[in-house]
Amino acid sequence: MLLSHVPGHFKSRRDALIKSNPGAVFIFPSNNEVLRNPDVPYGFRQESNFFYLTGFEEPESFLVLTAGSGSAPSKMVLFVRRRDATREMWEGERYGVEGARNVFQADEAYVTEDFDRKLPELLQGAERVFYRVGLNEAIDRRVIAQIDVHRASAGRSGRALLPISDPNEVLAEMRLFKRPEEVEALRKASQVSALAHKMAMKEVRPGMNEFEIEALIDYAFRKHGCQRVGYGSIVAGGKNATCLHYRLNNQPLKENELLLIDAGGEFDYYCSDITRTFPVGRSFTAAQAKTYDLVLRSQKEAIAMAKPGTTLAEIHQHVCEVITDGLLSLGLLKGSREEILKSNGYSRFYPHRTSHYLGMDVHDVGLYITKSGEPRTLEPGMVFTIEPGFYAQPTDPDVPDEYREIGIRIEDDILITPGGCEVLTADAPKERAEIEGLKH
Ligand code: GLY
Ligand code: MN
Ligand code: MN
């Protein structure tokens, strides 16, 4: 069913972008369909920036935003697929240029085939073009060719050449700070995903296959309102959990092993990213419990640090220190604490970083280390993960038997608030007693 209107927040995002970049022209191509079999495309998901600014979910489209300057007006121009009764009978309804204008509030709308012809005109008067080069070579060639046509038309007018910038320079900063409607969507995705993890904890039994649990989680996501997964779910029993981005999800689950699930649903283009690790059978073994408690302690201490003014680097450093201390006291690491921390010796068991931004993309946009030459500190509206882990690789010969092949990660999604933080995924159990209690 086609929409009759889209929420006003798409327009306010466009307005904010245009207002802060007078004289600019932004060019955003949509995603295109990719075939997985003859005539059969993979599931379509719109490109995140394109959706952020339009709410429009069709492929083969372009958004051009002209920011105007002086007396030149700013405008939103959409290029969309032509309406086509036969294609629509096979593939579903399209909005066409009329829908682009009436529903998506384009000031001008054209069919996609007109993009190349219209672009030089839309570049008239521009001082700067924002276009992401390198994602799609065919589109790059078309855009650059039209920028060249525009340049040639300038003749000897003395007009300055058009610099081309990456739109993420400005858009990533906008997307990094979540507005209220984005926080609401993230909350919903997180609540649904937490519920799915809890269901998996209750339902898992030795002898089930990883893909049964994957299907169960997928069902819970969709039943409770998520349209799709935010990323390919990782459902990893036993030693499979030591593969950080395990994908096969096709092995039987065994008593006395842990199951690591890293999965999050996507609600209205905002995704959650949760990892929980719990026993396939009724309870944790002693070695599993010791390493689990260590990871959990590091995660809780990291969450306690999450507030305005802290840096993600400080949080990661603290996690590395807690993990190092714990592994030294368990006898899994030997030697001097300082030396291990200096040489990243803990990375044998903890090889990834603690956090990434989260939003429309699971590894969301935004600068991490510095901003305008200063260390980037956390500010209200930022959303990110805290996800420490412990992985004893099957190929590591020096791990005591009881710890061999254990993989644990605990991951929550954090919203920075003026007074500290909100754990969006708090409904997913992570205390050992609570997890074991769900099974009896
Ligand atoms: N699910 C991917 C990650 O945790 O970064
Ligand atoms: Mn993550
Ligand atoms: Mn994850």
Side-chain angles (χ1 to χ4, degrees):
M1 253 262 293
L2 298 185
L3 304 169
S4 57
H5 71 280
V6 290
H9 52 242
F10 295 110
K11 178 166 165 34
S12 31
R13 294 169 191 168
R14 290 193 299 274
D15 288 347
L17 188 63
I18 282 172
K19 201 162 154 225
S20 55
N21 295 279
V25 171
F26 290 86
I27 303 169
F28 296 101
S30 72
N31 269 342
N32 285 326
E33 288 193 312
V34 179
L35 291 187
R36 61 153 281 175
N37 299 98
D39 307 325
V40 183
Y42 285 100
F44 179 76
R45 181 193 185 270
Q46 189 55 281
E47 197 277 325
S48 295
N49 284 338
F50 192 98
F51 188 84
Y52 182 78
L53 294 168
T54 62
F56 188 66
E57 291 196 84
E58 292 187 22
E60 294 168 48
S61 310
F62 291 92
L63 166 68
V64 180
L65 287 177
T66 68
S69 64
S71 59
S74 56
K75 62 186 173 191
M76 171 199 192
V77 185
L78 273 176
F79 295 87
V80 302
R81 296 181 306 177
R82 184 186 292 289
R83 303 243 15 214
D84 177 326
T86 310
R87 297 288 298 270
E88 291 183 47
M89 179 183 78
W90 284 88
E91 297 162 5
E93 278 181 281
R94 301 174 174 186
Y95 284 97
V97 290
E98 210 166 289
R101 280 198 208 100
N102 298 340
V103 180
F104 295 91
Q105 303 170 338
D107 298 298
E108 293 174 19
Y110 305 97
V111 291
T112 308
E113 297 90 299
D114 286 346
F115 172 70
D116 306 64
R117 188 170 62 74
K118 279 275 173 198
L119 189 54
E121 205 178 290
L122 295 169
L123 292 171
Q124 292 300 325
E127 290 155 25
R128 190 173 181 192
V129 176
F130 284 92
Y131 170 74
R132 167 74 194 272
V133 179
L135 284 183
N136 181 320
E137 267 186 53
I139 297 177
D140 286 356
R141 273 198 301 275
R142 289 168 64 185
V143 170
I144 289 165
Q146 297 314 321
I147 289 177
D148 211 47
V149 168
H150 165 77
R151 184 172 14 221
S153 77
R156 294 182 188 166
S157 67
R159 216 158 60 202
L161 297 179
L162 270 183
I164 303 177
S165 313
D166 188 326
N168 265 352
E169 195 184 296
V170 282
L171 207 52
E173 280 301 303
M174 272 178 72
R175 280 178 50 191
L176 178 56
F177 294 93
K178 273 64 182 177
R179 293 160 178 239
E181 76 277 1
E182 300 181 274
V183 170
E184 273 319 298
L186 283 162
R187 260 198 205 110
K188 168 84 176 177
S190 297
Q191 283 162 0
V192 170
S193 303
L195 190 146
H197 277 261
K198 195 167 173 181
M199 187 162 132
M201 287 173 195
K202 278 190 197 152
E203 297 297 325
V204 67
R205 302 278 182 279
M208 288 175 91
N209 195 292
E210 290 166 348
F211 53 57
E212 287 177 68
I213 302 294
E214 181 181 8
L216 201 86
I217 287 176
D218 214 27
Y219 173 74
F221 287 167
R222 288 165 193 249
K223 178 163 173 60
H224 297 286
C226 287
Q227 293 87 358
R228 55 178 87 82
V229 292
Y231 53 93
S233 302
I234 297 168
V235 182
K239 70 171 192 276
N240 297 336
T242 64
C243 172
L244 304 175
H245 282 171
Y246 176 70
R247 274 294 166 74
L248 290 176
N249 297 359
N250 64 1
Q251 293 303 303
L253 298 167
K254 302 190 196 109
E255 184 82 53
N256 295 324
E257 286 188 343
L258 294 175
L259 172 60
L260 179 154
I261 300 181
D262 182 344
E266 184 181 287
F267 176 78
D268 285 356
Y269 279 77
Y270 288 83
C271 77
S272 178
D273 183 8
I274 305 183
T275 308
R276 290 293 184 264
T277 311
F278 48 92
V280 170
R282 285 191 177 275
S283 47
F284 289 81
T285 66
Q288 288 166 355
K290 282 186 227 168
T291 40
Y292 185 89
D293 288 350
L294 171 59
V295 175
L296 184 58
R297 186 166 76 245
S298 74
Q299 204 234 13
K300 286 182 177 170
E301 290 187 18
I303 291 174
M305 293 171 73
K307 55 177 184 299
T310 310
T311 66
L312 289 179
E314 286 164 345
I315 290 178
H316 179 62
Q317 177 61 24
H318 185 71
V319 164
C320 292
E321 288 174 15
V322 175
I323 297 271
T324 298
D325 290 339
L327 294 179
L328 281 167
S329 68
L330 290 175
L332 282 158
L333 283 177
K334 296 190 169 58
S336 114
R337 177 184 198 265
E338 282 61 41
E339 190 46 43
I340 291 168
L341 286 169
K342 210 168 108 202
S343 65
N344 299 345
Y346 51 79
S347 66
R348 182 175 147 206
F349 296 105
Y350 180 41
H352 59 78
R353 294 193 68 87
T354 303
S355 300
H356 56 79
Y357 297 135
L358 182 73
M360 301 185 80
D361 295 308
V362 61
H363 292 174
D364 209 29
V365 289
L367 293 173
Y368 279 86
I369 312 293
T370 54
K371 166 72 183 148
S372 311
E374 299 290 321
R376 165 130 253 174
T377 53
L378 296 173
E379 293 177 57
M382 288 181 174
V383 177
F384 60 95
T385 65
I386 294 188
E387 51 178 308
F390 166 83
Y391 314 89
Q393 293 300 332
T395 49
D396 189 335
D398 297 325
V399 179
D401 278 349
E402 71 264 37
Y403 294 106
R404 189 168 290 284
E405 302 182 348
I406 289 179
I408 293 165
R409 178 162 63 253
I410 306 172
E411 173 173 31
D412 280 302
D413 303 342
I414 311 296
L415 164 70
I416 295 294
T417 59
C421 75
E422 175 183 334
V423 182
L424 299 172
T425 45
D427 294 347
K430 61 183 175 184
E431 297 298 330
R432 272 198 297 120
E434 190 182 353
I435 293 172
E436 289 175 346
L438 286 172
K439 293 169 170 283
H440 291 279

